[in-house]
Amino acid sequence: MAQVFLDRVAATAHVESIAIKEEVKPGQFFKLGVLDADGERRLVEKATGNADANVFLAPEVISYGDPHFDVTNVTLKDGDTGRAYHKDEGTIISVTKDLVSGAVVGDHVDVGDAGLGFKKAPSGNGVGLVIGKENHGVDGEVFVIAFG
């Protein structure tokens, strides 16, 4: 399912336009690189852990009434432009449970394996804290994560 909901993002937060080079899902963390040839988007590589995870993918999901649109299967493909957010302190997001591994409310989390989602931090503060678990109705259970 892999969905990211922006619960609290500062009005001054900088949104990066990124150049997607392979199929990715929402919740993917990336390491930022140089500008693409278009001069607008940043080239990215999948993050491998906390140290190189600069931004996370949170695409807008708009169907415009398309009856064949499946919000549970959103991916971005090679050549697409993605919308990515810096993991700034104070930012709060909710993610579907498939993007969290081994963590419960109160646990600190690290960037997940292959840079996708989150996993329970073995020690220390990690990149964020699971501050809640909610039911989003159609979207199912989500984990609420505060960066900091």
Side-chain angles (χ1 to χ4, degrees), residues 1-21:
M1 180 180 266
Q3 291 181 309
V4 176
F5 306 95
L6 303 172
D7 297 336
R8 184 182 309 156
V9 178
T12 56
H14 181 71
V15 180
E16 298 279 355
S17 291
I18 59 173
I20 304 299
K21 297 294 181 189

Side-chain angles (χ1 to χ4, degrees), residues 3-69:
Q3 291 181 309
V4 176
F5 306 95
L6 303 172
D7 297 336
R8 184 182 309 156
V9 178
T12 56
H14 181 71
V15 180
E16 298 279 355
S17 291
I18 59 173
I20 304 299
K21 297 294 181 189
E22 60 184 291
E23 188 168 320
V24 293
K25 295 180 178 185
Q28 178 69 51
F29 283 88
F30 293 102
K31 175 183 178 181
L32 291 171
V34 299
L35 286 176
D36 194 8
D38 64 10
E40 298 294 328
R41 303 180 301 173
R42 298 276 300 266
L43 297 176
V44 293
E45 295 177 17
K46 286 184 179 178
T48 58
N50 295 353
D52 65 351
N54 302 126
V55 295
F56 62 92
L57 183 65
E60 285 191 33
V61 180
I62 302 173
S63 73
Y64 297 108
D66 180 357
H68 307 291
F69 182 75

Side-chain angles (χ1 to χ4, degrees), residues 85-109:
Y85 289 83
H86 291 263
K87 51 184 188 0
D88 297 332
E89 185 172 343
T91 295
I92 298 176
I93 63 173
S94 294
V95 298
T96 50
K97 63 183 179 181
D98 58 324
L99 289 174
V100 178
S101 176
V104 296
V105 175
D107 286 343
H108 290 274
V109 289

